[in-house]
Amino acid sequence: MIFLYKTRFWLTFNAFIKKRYDINLSHFGIALCALFNSPLAFGAETVTLNLKWKHQFQFAGYYMAKEKGFYQAEGFNVIIKERDATQNIFKPVLDKTAEFGVADSSIVLQYLQGQPFVILAAIFQHSPLVLLTRNEDNIYSPYELIGKNVMYQRGVDDASLHAMFTTLGIKNNQYNLIPQNFDPLALNNPDLDAMSAYITNQPYLYEQTNMSIRIMEPSNYGIDFYGDLLYTHSDYVKENPERAAAFKRASILGWQYALAHIDETVELIVQRYNSSKSAEHLHYEAERSLSMIASDFVPIGTLHQQRFEKIVQIYEKLGMVETAISLDRLTLPSYLETDKRDAAMQLKVASITIMFFLLALMLLYIFNRRLKQAVILKTQQLENLNKRLQQQVMVVEESNKSLLQAKEMAESANKAKSSFLSNMSHEIRTPLNAVIGFTQLATLTSDPKKIIDYLRQIKVSANHLLALINDILDLSKIESNAIQLESLHFSLQSSVEKVIQICALKANDKHIELKFIIEQDVKDHLIGDALRFEQVLINLLSNAIKFTEQGAVKLIIKNKTIEKQSQQNITRLVIEVIDSGIGMSQEQLDLIFKPFVQADNSTTRLYGGSGLGLVISEQIIRLMNGDIWVTSEVGVGSNFTFEVELGYSEQAIVQTNEVTLTRTTKNEIQPLAYQHQTVLLVEDNEINQIIAQSMLEQLGLSVDLAHNGEQAVNLCKQNDYRLIFMDVQMPVMDGLSATQAIRAFNSRVCIIGMSANASSEDISQGKQAGMNNYITKPIEFEKLTSVLNLYLSSTASTIA
């Protein structure tokens, strides 16, 4: 700053001298000012940077600022030190054994408590501090941590976590605080329910141990603190604010280089700084750090006074500070303003001194007109610099607007998720209330008719709850790209008839006509994922029936010509689902395909439903290279239209030896055909043992029980069973391994897989292991009798 003022003085003074005496002294003066203000004039300044933790990518910018000479160019010889975990993180800077340090937003609390710190730059615009929980514990929000054991470091990184609990109305005494032990895999301890962690670090370690975790971010609950902040002692800034600004400037250049050259940075950290992390781990940390630094939206180092004021408000709300303290001296710009005033005074003194000095040198530079062009060039450079600075200001302003828009979008998404969770809570609790309520009523009565009626109601509610869970799991799989479509032969006519049969019951109950039309030129022998195709049809038809009180629901399937010659044996179907229901407004149409958003909450309360069916259907259609759209008019009805691409075969579908389990009625059950036979039940869960064994004994069968796959293999070597019901997930030896072991010495016995894992991948793995068929839990009585009729009746043939 002083250098800039002195340069301007020289230009002004030279113009006066040139006009009066026709003498040009500009270059001499500028060079003289540059000489006395250069940081290298008296040798490099040795300073220490104290890190927040051990060497890792979190501090990549500082390593690169040193490695690439950015610090040296500003006149610094920088020593970078890891944090000493045995002492307070702020102690080195406070004791002046280190000139600079890295800390999180807790430094604001230190400032409010009277510590002499000045923040130079914000490197991480968002705090990477989160809470981790085990996925298997089903802890989805801070509310599930009430009464649980939560580990974090009190007084250092607890502000954002404490604020998150307080914002949600959760008091300190409602959960057990466990002191942070700095074990990155602390969740391996079953007594611990949640731990504070950096989202850029610990999740990678748990991925390596195959532990599935959940991440709870304070920003999702409105608590958005800064992450890493570069700071120094106020005495250092007071003595020379320009040196502090120079260190900040070099550090930011280092960060810009590190983010643009991640591979080079990781190699440097591994080789020179002996990081305990592997190169793969550092790459993981780098990728996660990009969203925390947010350099695409905000220039690195940007500080916002409003965010600090918001942080102070949170500290006041938490009772961590008693009275508000002015933030005027918290950041570097306030000191630079003071430096301008001091520089003006220094300029006056320096100007008087220089004027006398120039009078003595004036005769030496008479007629020095050759420097005129150099002055003009320098002036142009300054003007160009000014233009670039103005452009940078415009970029910062645009970045601020983008950041504000991103914040508004995040807040909107949080509201949508909260609304979705509220609706899911209602949808889950409603059938669950029926299950619990009718169970209690059944225990309070001895009337058999009432008990049977209560049990029917329980089954209806349980099936509704199961359908809701399947929708949620489907959406989760689609969003994580975990769904893989099958490519199998199937009959379009058979699939449509099956879907119509499923939906006909609800249509008949409402006296609604349900019909379908398949145009003549549509291929029947198709290749694709029939189950997912049927799932889309069921979702759309069920919705149409649900929102139609009178009239009809129609399904129309057409063929669309594909112009591309390269698309051999590919057909594109156009499917329409037309209803005469309540219809939708344009505002509702804009929302129906958005996840976590309901088109109309009042409609949801009236008709029920999770609101996930259309979202899931749209994603499945996208996977089939298709698209979906809708036209609707309130009070008239809706028309859902979608296109999908499927393969087709000119030949009829060849029937395979695979047996498909179908639902049977009570009249089709033939217990005498397999009564008194012995089957083997392999199941480790005691409740599932009781249910399956009781069902089989009700049908007149004897049941041998094995608690794991190893016991099952031993029993098969001792007995000649015709049928085995094999659970998949078990201790000691799982069902897939047990099936492979049994097939090694017995190819005749029929093995039926039983599991709550119901995806097509799970079923395929079971059959590859040697299972004849596969039924999913919860086990339905009709499915069980179908298996027995298929494999134990006198006319059934064993399928190896």
Side-chain angles (χ1 to χ4, degrees), residues 508-565:
N508 293 336
D509 289 343
K510 299 182 72 174
H511 305 289
I512 296 171
E513 183 180 2
L514 178 62
K515 53 186 177 181
F516 71 94
I517 299 173
I518 302 177
E519 295 189 351
Q520 291 184 353
D521 61 341
V522 176
K523 306 288 185 181
D524 183 63
H525 308 311
L526 302 179
I527 303 172
D529 196 323
L531 290 177
R532 293 297 181 184
F533 178 70
E534 293 167 5
Q535 181 181 357
V536 174
L537 293 181
I538 291 172
N539 280 341
L540 295 179
L541 287 172
S542 297
N543 270 354
I545 294 169
K546 180 194 297 185
F547 296 109
T548 302
E549 298 301 331
Q550 60 182 3
V553 173
K554 184 186 298 183
L555 172 64
I556 302 175
I557 301 180
K558 308 174 184 178
N559 183 57
K560 182 177 182 180
T561 303
I562 300 178
E563 297 180 357
K564 296 180 181 179
Q565 297 297 325

Side-chain angles (χ1 to χ4, degrees), residues 772-789:
N772 299 93
N773 224 311
Y774 195 99
I775 58 177
T776 58
K777 299 175 183 177
I779 300 172
E780 296 183 7
F781 195 79
E782 292 85 349
K783 288 185 180 179
L784 196 61
T785 54
S786 292
V787 171
L788 299 175
N789 282 329

Side-chain angles (χ1 to χ4, degrees), residues 662-674:
T662 60
R663 298 175 65 91
T664 61
T665 65
K666 292 184 178 179
N667 293 333
E668 293 174 320
I669 300 174
Q670 304 171 0
L672 294 177
Y674 45 76

Side-chain angles (χ1 to χ4, degrees), residues 455 611 678:
L455 292 175
T678 301

Side-chain angles (χ1 to χ4, degrees), residues 477-495:
K477 285 185 177 181
I478 290 172
E479 289 189 338
S480 60
N481 297 321
I483 282 188
Q484 295 182 352
L485 296 182
E486 293 185 337
S487 184
L488 301 175
H489 289 264
F490 71 96
S491 167
L492 175 64
Q493 182 78 21
S494 299
S495 291

Side-chain angles (χ1 to χ4, degrees), residues 682-698:
V682 189
E683 173 65 66
D684 66 305
N685 184 277
E686 184 176 352
I687 294 177
N688 290 340
Q689 291 174 358
I690 295 172
I691 293 172
Q693 187 170 359
S694 298
M695 285 184 175
L696 292 171
E697 290 177 348
Q698 286 285 332

Side-chain angles (χ1 to χ4, degrees), residues 380-395:
Q380 291 176 344
Q381 291 176 348
L382 290 173
E383 290 176 351
N384 293 335
L385 177 61
N386 186 49
K387 291 179 181 179
R388 288 197 296 271
L389 290 175
Q390 291 177 351
Q391 292 173 352
Q392 291 177 1
V393 169
M394 294 176 62
V395 171

